Structure formats: structure tokens, C-alpha cells
Amino acid sequence: MEKFLKKHPNRVPVYVHVDEKTLYMERHKFLVPRGLSVAEFTRVIRGRTKIRPCDAIFMFVGTKKTLPPNGALFEDLYKEHRGNDQMLHVTYTVENTFG
């Protein structure tokens, strides 16, 4: 992982965990720009998955499954919640917002 961090100093290594029953993603590892917000990354993830427009997705970070604010930057999330493997672990869940 040190090799990637040295090669891409302006990126954050992110591993995305999803519930395979509700979301399907081909890729789970991303190099996210440090200045990207939670809302922007959620938009990227929403575009890469096949969920209905009436479903909302929520992102949780770290081992404590903290819900970050939409304006939080990945640089700050990485500093606070990165794992021992030097990756930021993110979990997405789906919730039907219209019943």
C-alpha cells in the first residue's frame, strides 16, 4: 500500500463494502481524490450500481460505521478512519425511502 500512497499522494485508497443482495458493483477498490466530498462520491457509486430512483443509499466509514456529513472531504475521513491496512473502508446500504 505504501507504493500506491507514494505514487498517488493526492489520492485516498478506498475499499467499498456493499450488501450483495441489494447492490452489485464490479469494482470495490477506488483511488479517490482527497478533495472529493462524500456527496460527490455517493453520486459516483450510485451511477455504478443499479438501484431504483426511490432508493436512498447511505455511506458509513470506519470500523465504528460512522455516518459522515455529505460535505466531509475524503482527506479528513482518511485521517480519522483509515484502517490498519492503510485503506479507508466504506460501507453502503440501501433504504427504500418511499415505502
Side-chain angles (χ1 to χ4, degrees):
M1 187 53 62
E2 295 296 324
K3 182 180 175 182
F4 283 109
L5 293 173
K6 287 181 182 178
K7 188 175 181 181
H8 304 284
N10 60 343
R11 303 277 178 162
V12 171
V14 175
Y15 190 90
V16 177
H17 302 271
V18 295
D19 179 14
E20 296 294 331
K21 295 176 186 172
T22 55
L23 290 175
Y24 172 75
M25 291 179 52
E26 290 183 18
R27 287 180 33 195
H28 292 279
K29 295 179 183 178
F30 295 89
L31 284 175
V32 178
R34 289 185 178 269
L36 197 71
S37 71
V38 169
E40 292 168 327
F41 188 67
T42 299
R43 198 172 324 133
V44 169
I45 295 298
R46 192 174 183 89
R48 292 181 177 265
T49 59
K50 295 183 179 173
I51 62 172
R52 300 176 301 170
C54 64
D55 289 336
I57 58 175
F58 295 94
M59 179 177 113
F60 299 96
V61 294
T63 56
K64 295 182 181 179
K65 305 290 187 220
T66 306
L67 180 66
N70 281 331
L73 300 179
F74 269 82
E75 179 176 24
D76 300 329
L77 293 176
Y78 183 72
K79 288 177 186 175
E80 188 176 342
H81 298 284
R82 73 175 168 227
N84 292 336
D85 58 355
Q86 299 298 315
M87 293 189 78
L88 178 65
H89 291 268
V90 172
T91 304
Y92 274 98
T93 60
V94 176
E95 186 70 32
N96 188 337
T97 56
F98 296 109

